[in-house]
Amino acid sequence: MADSPRVAWRALAGLLVCLANAAPVAAGVVLTQSFDLQVPAVPRAVPVNGRHLLRHELHLTNFGREPLVPVSIEVRDADAGSMLARIEGPALAQLLAIPGSDRQGMGPPAIAPGMRAVAYLDIMLPGEVPTALEHRVEYRVAGGDGSNGAVEGARVAVDSRPPPVLGRPLRGGPWVAVHSPAWPRGHRRALYALDGRVRIPGRFAIDWVRVDTRGHIADGDPDRVDDAPGYGADVLAVTDATVSAVRNDVQESSTISGHRPHALADASGNYVALDLGDGRHAFYEHLQPGSIRVRPGQRVRRGEVIAALGFTGDSTGPHLHFHVADGSSPLGAEGIPFVIDRFRVLGHYPDIGTLGAAPWLPPAAERPALHLMEWPASNVVVDFNTD
């Protein structure tokens, strides 16, 4: 018994030696706590304008004791080691946000201890889609001496499955594919934490807004819902599918000014969800009251009329919200990419603020007007009559 303290000390000394050998620290390096890096949703790529757009979110949680300001984010091909993107300066300030905050500053936000920020990453790839990614974040201490630190991590595999190929959700045109990753309150940045897990249902969502040949969004009184060119338009099944969910009891204002805020449960308005198979569901939202022609469990054929475009739910004007997700809940599923088999690009809006007040700009001469097997780019104007 007298030797037991000596034995214990020998065991402890041996353990300390093992730990030192397992995690050597370079001379002069000061260990500090900083960001926990996570990529909660699997990164996915989608064809856009002849290239691949890689879209994912990097979550940064500050586990340090002082506010930290991200200086740059690098995204690398984890296998090849090549850099896919480095974001810094104004570009970083634009894509980095703190959930629940409306902060709009000139630089990246200072992330307080215990707080989380989300970097909404969009990378137009120069070549093939990598099989895995890794990330490096350079940061500084807010109000510090100006010296920077860095942390690497968040290695994640890229989903290699091809996106579902869909037909047109509407007839004719012109239709504006309204979406942008930079909008602070756009679909891309609408995070929902409803059942213990945060998701972005509208990661690849598009709001389809009808305009006339002059770019106007009203044929008469801009406040009247039924004067919008797209109001009441036939909404089409994008593929042969089974109806997985329907809602058809949300009422509609006859004027845009008379529209009232909706509870979260009513944000989608009247909607139809189609089961595309393989765990994927297509959502059509803000549909006209009483217009839905299908019921859960019903089989529909591609091109079949299933409802009419309306103005129900959380909407700023008549349009069709369309997205694809990995579950049958409008807000409780993760948004995934899709492609439309064919559409003709008539032009685009470089500033969506001019929608309704000015015509769109024509397409670049070097790009073909007919696009096949692609996801429509931000704020392009398309015609679904491609014959």
Side-chain angles (χ1 to χ4, degrees):
M1 296 295 294
D3 291 335
S4 57
R6 185 178 301 172
V7 172
W9 277 110
R10 287 176 179 172
L12 179 58
L15 177 60
L16 292 174
V17 170
C18 289
L19 289 174
N21 290 334
V25 178
V29 174
V30 178
L31 292 179
T32 59
Q33 292 213 77
S34 60
F35 289 118
D36 171 71
L37 306 180
Q38 299 287 335
V39 179
V42 178
R44 300 172 188 263
V46 63
V48 178
N49 287 334
R51 300 172 65 184
H52 278 94
L53 172 68
L54 181 65
R55 172 166 285 188
H56 69 293
E57 297 82 41
L58 176 67
H59 291 224
L60 302 85
T61 304
N62 183 0
F63 277 80
R65 293 188 175 186
E66 298 175 289
L68 302 178
V69 180
V71 174
S72 68
I73 295 177
E74 294 180 0
V75 184
R76 296 178 177 272
D77 183 324
D79 297 322
S82 56
M83 187 183 300
L84 301 174
R86 177 182 170 88
I87 307 103
E88 57 190 338
L92 180 62
Q94 186 179 56
L95 64 81
L96 191 64
I98 297 176
S101 171
D102 290 332
R103 174 192 179 277
Q104 292 294 306
M106 295 300 293
I111 304 169
M115 294 294 291
R116 176 187 296 191
V118 179
Y120 298 91
L121 300 170
D122 269 26
I123 302 170
M124 195 62 76
L125 297 173
E128 295 299 315
V129 179
T131 58
L133 306 175
E134 58 186 4
H135 303 78
R136 182 179 188 272
V137 176
E138 188 177 358
Y139 63 90
R140 62 178 175 82
V141 176
D145 61 4
S147 60
N148 292 353
V151 58
E152 298 182 2
R155 181 184 173 107
V156 61
V158 177
D159 192 332
S160 61
R161 292 175 298 173
V165 178
L166 306 178
R168 58 185 182 176
L170 299 153
R171 295 193 184 100
W175 293 98
V176 186
V178 178
H179 67 91
S180 172
W183 295 339
R185 297 185 181 180
H187 297 128
R188 176 76 196 286
R189 303 195 183 195
L191 298 98
Y192 296 95
L194 304 178
D195 54 3
R197 176 183 166 188
V198 65
R199 298 180 177 88
I200 303 180
R203 182 174 287 107
F204 292 91
I206 295 175
D207 282 344
W208 293 104
V209 178
R210 186 79 178 257
V211 293
D212 63 19
T213 55
R214 298 168 298 171
H216 294 170
I217 57 175
D219 292 331
D221 184 349
D223 192 42
R224 289 194 56 82
V225 171
D226 56 7
D227 277 349
Y231 183 75
D234 288 340
V235 173
L236 312 178
V238 290
T239 190
D240 296 351
T242 300
V243 179
S244 55
V246 164
R247 183 171 184 183
N248 199 22
D249 62 353
V250 181
Q251 297 305 303
E252 184 179 79
S253 170
S254 62
T255 62
I256 294 176
S257 61
H259 199 57
R260 296 291 179 263
H262 288 72
L264 186 61
D266 301 328
S268 300
N270 298 319
Y271 70 88
V272 172
L274 300 183
D275 186 345
L276 308 179
D278 197 25
R280 301 173 296 190
H281 297 256
F283 290 85
Y284 306 76
E285 300 180 5
H286 311 311
L287 303 174
Q288 191 180 82
S291 72
I292 296 177
R293 305 186 185 186
V294 295
R295 62 186 184 280
Q298 179 180 338
R299 287 289 297 175
V300 295
R301 304 287 293 178
R302 173 181 164 134
E304 180 180 342
V305 178
I306 60 175
L309 184 148
F311 182 52
T312 56
D314 191 3
S315 174
T316 57
H319 71 275
L320 173 67
H321 169 104
F322 182 86
H323 75 267
V324 177
D326 63 2
S328 60
S329 169
L331 302 181
E334 205 74 80
I336 60 176
F338 61 91
V339 296
I340 298 176
D341 58 1
R342 55 194 296 123
F343 56 91
R344 192 174 299 279
V345 172
L346 305 177
H348 73 288
Y349 278 93
D351 178 5
I352 200 63
T354 63
L355 176 64
W360 58 85
L361 295 184
E366 67 272 13
R367 293 178 183 171
L370 184 63
H371 290 242
L372 305 176
M373 303 298 185
E374 288 191 347
W375 185 62
S378 176
N379 304 328
V380 296
V381 184
V382 310
D383 190 331
F384 288 117
N385 290 335
T386 57
D387 298 333

